[in-house]
Amino acid sequence: MLKEVAEAIERHDYKTAEYLLQTWQQQEIDNPWVVFYTARLAEVKGHLKSASQQYRELLQQTTNLKLIGQIRQRMECLDEIDAQNQQKVKEERLKAIAQANRDPVNQEPGIFILEPIPNEAKKQAAQQFAQIMQLDPYTARLQLPSRAWRFYRTGTIGELQILKETLKSVTIPCFCATLKDIQNIKVYQINYFLEIYPIVTVVCHTNHGKPTLIKFEPSELVQRVEGILPVFEECLEVGIRRKMERRTRTLDYIQFCDLHLKERNIILRLCAQTYKYHQGFAFLGKNTIDEATSRDHWNHLITYFKERFPQQSVYSEFTPFAETAFNFPETLKLIEPNLELLRREDTLWDQAFHLYSSLAFLKKS
């Protein structure tokens, strides 16, 4: 039976080979050669991953030296084919990148983001990611996020678009954006809401202090971005050798909420520290407004949006995203933060929040 199966596979008579293997398996259930030729049939039919897995499992189970030799020979062939395929994919990508970069538009600097993947889908995604990015499976699995966006790399937008299409073809979620698109979004700092129904009226100003009145329909508000930013202070502490040392520590956290008006290309930015709670619409109610703390005012303001727009998209995983963005300080320094926090020293947290919100804004399109 072995000879007949081998000959059928060699002449690409797959139907006969499948029939012979089924008959052989019924006659000799535990014969490892049946498994070997089942894997061999999968290999010649182009199912290389399935064949490789079957060979590896059989190699761990059998002690037949002749069979072990043939398994290793087939695995070496599969490894060679895999290496050739990877090289071919790499060459095609490089060719596509070179062609894309001929267009000046595709040479704009860009940012590439990996989106979170459910843990149950990570194993298969990591294998695909490892092959595309030429990584080992363990490293690939560590680089794929489970909870929040991961700022993965920078490059020309033409190159990043090709990478995006390649990864999305194997169902790895990702997206990219140019720094120019981020810079083109208009940002206004909200002073206070004058009215909220039926038309929302906002008193706000630009980053340069110019006052503006913006009115919009509630339906224009497509999503929100929430995050907290640390405020630092320098202090003197007693060190290990009982000497006074100057250190930086977190003094407080400031809450932010961005409102996205996509069709107008506008982000309206709320800051818990700078919002004028005693002007305009009273979210807390006029009877208790003088007794409430700033935190009470802010909580009622945010609660209003949660109740008024329960189905609205909310991006709130800023902190884990920021931790990955800090790996690209030179890129963050190119971003205007559009925040009004009095800081004694510059920090990249402000740029990271504006980047996070802007990416959410651009992704909506």
Side-chain angles (χ1 to χ4, degrees):
M1 185 71 75
L2 185 153
K3 183 179 179 181
E4 288 86 344
V5 171
E7 289 176 349
I9 290 175
E10 288 302 319
R11 64 174 182 267
H12 303 290
D13 187 355
Y14 302 147
K15 287 187 178 180
T16 300
E18 288 174 358
Y19 172 76
L20 291 172
L21 280 170
Q22 290 174 2
T23 304
W24 192 5
Q25 189 173 34
Q26 292 171 0
Q27 294 174 355
E28 302 178 53
I29 298 175
D30 298 325
N31 192 328
W33 285 100
V34 176
V35 181
F36 174 79
Y37 278 103
T38 300
R40 183 79 179 95
L41 179 60
E43 178 188 344
V44 297
K45 291 175 71 174
H47 305 151
L48 303 185
K49 288 186 178 180
S50 174
S52 179
Q53 184 176 354
Q54 292 179 71
Y55 285 140
R56 293 181 190 281
E57 291 175 355
L58 183 58
L59 188 62
Q60 295 173 352
Q61 298 168 3
T62 187
T63 57
N64 186 314
L65 295 180
K66 183 179 179 181
L67 179 57
I68 289 173
Q70 293 211 30
I71 293 172
R72 286 177 173 166
Q73 184 181 15
R74 296 318 313 160
M75 290 177 65
E76 287 177 5
C77 288
L78 288 179
D79 288 342
E80 186 177 342
I81 292 171
D82 185 54
Q84 291 174 352
N85 288 340
Q86 287 190 35
Q87 182 62 29
K88 184 178 179 181
V89 170
K90 182 180 178 180
E91 290 174 357
E92 289 176 350
R93 276 183 57 198
L94 291 174
K95 184 178 179 180
I97 290 168
Q99 185 173 357
N101 283 338
R102 291 179 189 145
D103 186 342
V105 174
N106 290 329
Q107 294 179 22
E108 289 284 343
I111 292 168
F112 189 84
I113 305 296
L114 289 172
E115 298 180 75
I117 297 175
N119 283 325
E120 59 271 18
K122 238 187 175 185
K123 183 177 180 180
Q124 183 174 355
Q127 292 174 349
Q128 301 277 10
F129 189 66
Q131 187 174 24
I132 292 170
M133 304 306 298
Q134 296 186 320
L135 302 169
D136 63 90
Y138 178 75
T139 302
R141 187 178 178 88
L142 289 178
Q143 291 188 357
L144 291 175
S146 300
R147 175 185 168 190
W149 292 345
R150 180 185 181 92
F151 188 152
Y152 187 65
R153 64 164 50 182
T154 59
T156 65
I157 193 61
E159 174 188 357
L160 300 181
Q161 288 281 10
I162 291 169
L163 178 58
K164 181 189 75 171
E165 292 168 6
T166 304
L167 292 179
K168 283 201 165 187
S169 69
V170 293
T171 66
I172 295 177
C174 55
F175 66 97
C176 53
T178 66
L179 288 174
K180 185 177 181 180
D181 287 338
I182 292 168
Q183 293 163 353
N184 286 340
I185 302 171
K186 301 173 186 175
V187 182
Y188 295 89
Q189 320 289 332
I190 296 179
N191 296 337
Y192 57 89
F193 287 91
L194 194 61
E195 297 289 344
I196 61 171
Y197 185 84
I199 301 296
V200 182
T201 304
V202 184
V203 178
C204 52
H205 61 277
T206 65
N207 200 38
H208 303 290
K210 184 179 179 180
T212 307
L213 194 69
I214 295 178
K215 296 183 178 183
F216 61 91
E217 297 277 353
S219 59
E220 294 183 69
L221 181 56
V222 296
Q223 62 188 18
R224 304 192 309 278
V225 173
E226 298 176 358
I228 58 173
L229 293 176
V231 177
F232 305 102
E233 71 168 359
E234 282 193 355
C235 58
L236 291 174
E237 296 182 356
V238 179
I240 297 176
R241 298 180 181 179
R242 295 186 177 181
K243 290 185 178 180
M244 299 301 291
E245 297 178 357
R246 189 175 296 277
R247 297 181 180 177
T248 301
R249 69 174 184 176
T250 302
L251 175 66
D252 198 2
Y253 291 93
I254 306 299
Q255 293 173 297
F256 281 83
C257 179
D258 280 4
L259 310 179
H260 290 180
L261 305 180
K262 181 61 185 176
E263 293 300 320
R264 300 198 193 189
N265 195 42
I266 289 175
I267 291 177
L268 298 175
R269 180 155 291 160
L270 282 160
C271 173
Q273 188 182 61
T274 60
Y275 187 86
K276 302 182 185 304
Y277 299 106
H278 293 80
Q279 297 185 43
F281 184 84
F283 289 92
L284 191 59
K286 293 184 179 180
N287 295 332
T288 57
I289 192 169
D290 293 328
E291 301 173 4
T293 64
S294 295
R295 185 177 295 275
D296 292 332
H297 284 293
W298 178 262
N299 289 341
H300 277 77
L301 190 157
I302 296 301
T303 298
Y304 166 79
F305 286 102
K306 290 180 179 179
E307 294 176 349
R308 180 68 176 81
F309 306 99
Q311 305 301 322
Q312 195 176 75
S313 299
V314 180
Y315 291 85
S316 57
E317 297 291 347
F318 161 63
T319 301
F321 165 79
E323 291 169 354
T324 67
F326 293 149
N327 294 323
F328 301 87
E330 296 307 315
T331 299
L332 289 178
K333 290 174 183 177
L334 298 175
I335 296 172
E336 172 62 47
N338 291 298
L339 291 174
E340 292 185 328
L341 288 180
L342 295 176
R343 294 190 182 277
R344 294 181 179 178
E345 293 185 6
D346 292 336
T347 173
L348 294 178
W349 278 98
D350 299 351
Q351 285 90 338
F353 180 75
H354 183 64
L355 173 62
Y356 180 66
S357 183
S358 299
L359 289 171
F361 186 94
L362 295 172
K363 189 175 185 300
K364 185 67 179 176
S365 61

